[in-house]
Every structure is written in C-alpha cells, then in structure tokens.
Amino acid sequence: KICSKVYLIHRRDEFRAAPSTVQKVRESENIELITNALVEQIKGDASGVTGIVVKDKTSGAARELQLPGIFVFVGLDVRNEVLKDESGKFICDVTPGGQVAVNLKMQTSVHGLFAAGDMRQDAPKQVVCAAGDGAVAALSAIAYLQGHDK
Ligand SMILES: Cc1cc2nc3c(=O)[nH]c(=O)nc-3n(C[C@H](O)[C@H](O)[C@H](O)COP(=O)(O)OP(=O)(O)OC[C@H]3O[C@@H](n4cnc5c(N)ncnc54)[C@H](O)[C@@H]3O)c2cc1C
C-alpha cells in the first residue's frame, strides 16, 4: 500500500497462501507477479541495491529489473541448526515446528540457555517483539550469571 511498484517473485506457478490473499494481490495494480522464476543476481553500488536479475525457470530467459530494495522471504523454517548437537538432536526442547520452547523469562529447558525473537515458540514475528524478547533474555542471563534465577 505504500509502494508505487512491487514485484513479487515466486519460485512456483501457484501460491499456497489463503486464496483471498492471493486474490487481493492479483487485483493490486501496483503489484506485478513474476512466477516460476528465481532471483539470479542482486546488483548494487555505494547507494545500495539498484536492481536484480530474474531468471525464468522453464525458458531460462533472464530479465533485469531496476529497483531500490529487495525483501527476501522464503519459507517459514526456523533457523535452529545452532541448537543441534553432533548427532543432529536438539539440545533443548523445541516444538514440532522447530521453534524453541521458552517461558516468559525466555528460559529454555536447559538451565542457562535463553532464546528470543523469531526462533521462540509463538513468536509474533515482529521486530519490536524480538527486541523485547532480547531485553528479557538479557535480564534473565544476568540473573543467571549472578545466581539469582532460582
Ligand atoms: C521480508 C520481511 C519483512 C518483514 N517486515 C516486517 C515489518 O514490517 N515489521 C516487523 O515488525 N517485522 C517484520 N519482519 C519480521 C522481522 O524482520 C523479524 O521479526 C525480526 O527480524 C526477528 O528478529 P530476530 O533477531 O529474532 O531474528 P533475525 O532478525 O532473523 O536475526 C537472526 C540473526 O541470527 C543470525 N544467525 C542465524 N543462525 C546463526 C548462527 N548459527 N550463528 C550466528 N548467527 C546466526 C542470522 O544471520 C540473523 O542475522 C519482516 C521479515 C521479513 C523476512
């Protein structure tokens, strides 16, 4: 709603989002859908991003778009590899979706290990919430180090 032009580049031909959302996007005059395509290159200079090269997956044809910004959003997987041991097992409790189980103090199931932000369970996935989580986790870590968290 705040951009004059948005390109939505998607790897597949169809969308898994709610049909009503897809419909709204299709009806938006400022959104151009580029499906069955991959971003091959992001171009830039000292000012930042200046454009991208998009390649059609079927024909292989490349297209260059001039634009001042790119937002990368691929899937909903939680980046939790850092919490796995050498055998690939999680070192603390996680949900079936791989989100880290925490309490309101951002304490995980492992004493002295804290999680905050998008990787924690039920995360609202908003910057302000992640920052708040970080502050809570930091205070909990201080309490842990001072032995006041029992
Ligand atoms: C396209 C897009 C648009 C968004 N728009 C909005 C918006 O308008 N408003 C809003 O509030 N939120 C928005 N969000 C959500 C917001 O970006 C996140 O909620 C927020 O960034 C989460 O912060 P975080 O610190 O938990 O995770 P991140 O910001 O993802 O930071 C995690 C960091 O950890 C690093 N990392 C991962 N694994 C390791 C490892 N093993 N070792 C070291 N470092 C590691 C990553 O590289 C990354 O830098 C948007 C997100 C996306 C993708």
Side-chain angles (χ1 to χ4, degrees):
K1 284 180 185 158
I2 57 170
C3 300
S4 56
K5 178 79 183 183
V6 172
Y7 295 98
L8 197 164
I9 299 156
H10 187 47
R11 288 176 293 186
R12 301 189 307 142
D13 269 332
E14 54 197 36
F15 295 90
R16 272 182 278 189
S20 59
T21 306
V22 175
Q23 186 65 18
K24 264 189 208 160
V25 168
R26 289 193 193 283
E27 287 169 1
S28 301
E29 284 179 5
N30 60 333
I31 301 179
E32 181 176 334
L33 296 181
I34 302 178
T35 55
N36 191 42
L38 296 170
V39 176
E40 282 262 299
Q41 201 181 343
I42 301 175
K43 299 193 165 194
D45 58 24
S47 70
V49 173
T50 57
I52 56 171
V53 177
V54 185
K55 196 169 166 186
D56 185 276
K57 279 171 62 188
T58 309
S59 69
R63 176 181 172 191
E64 189 167 337
L65 303 171
Q66 313 259 304
L67 39 78
I70 176 164
F71 291 89
V72 182
F73 200 130
V74 182
L76 295 170
D77 289 349
V78 184
R79 292 190 62 187
N80 52 22
E81 308 83 22
V82 74
L83 294 171
K84 289 179 181 168
D85 65 18
E86 284 159 5
S87 67
K89 203 167 155 265
F90 285 108
I91 59 171
C92 61
D93 291 348
V94 299
T95 67
Q99 297 175 325
V100 185
V102 289
N103 61 19
L104 289 175
K105 293 180 177 174
M106 301 301 142
Q107 294 167 320
T108 68
S109 58
V110 174
H111 192 215
L113 179 66
F114 308 88
D118 281 8
M119 70 165 358
R120 72 151 165 97
Q121 70 183 111
D122 298 326
K125 300 203 193 295
Q126 295 286 297
V127 169
V128 68
C129 301
D133 279 4
V136 173
L139 291 171
S140 295
I142 292 168
Y144 166 75
L145 292 171
Q146 293 178 340
H148 298 147
D149 66 332
K150 300 282 176 355

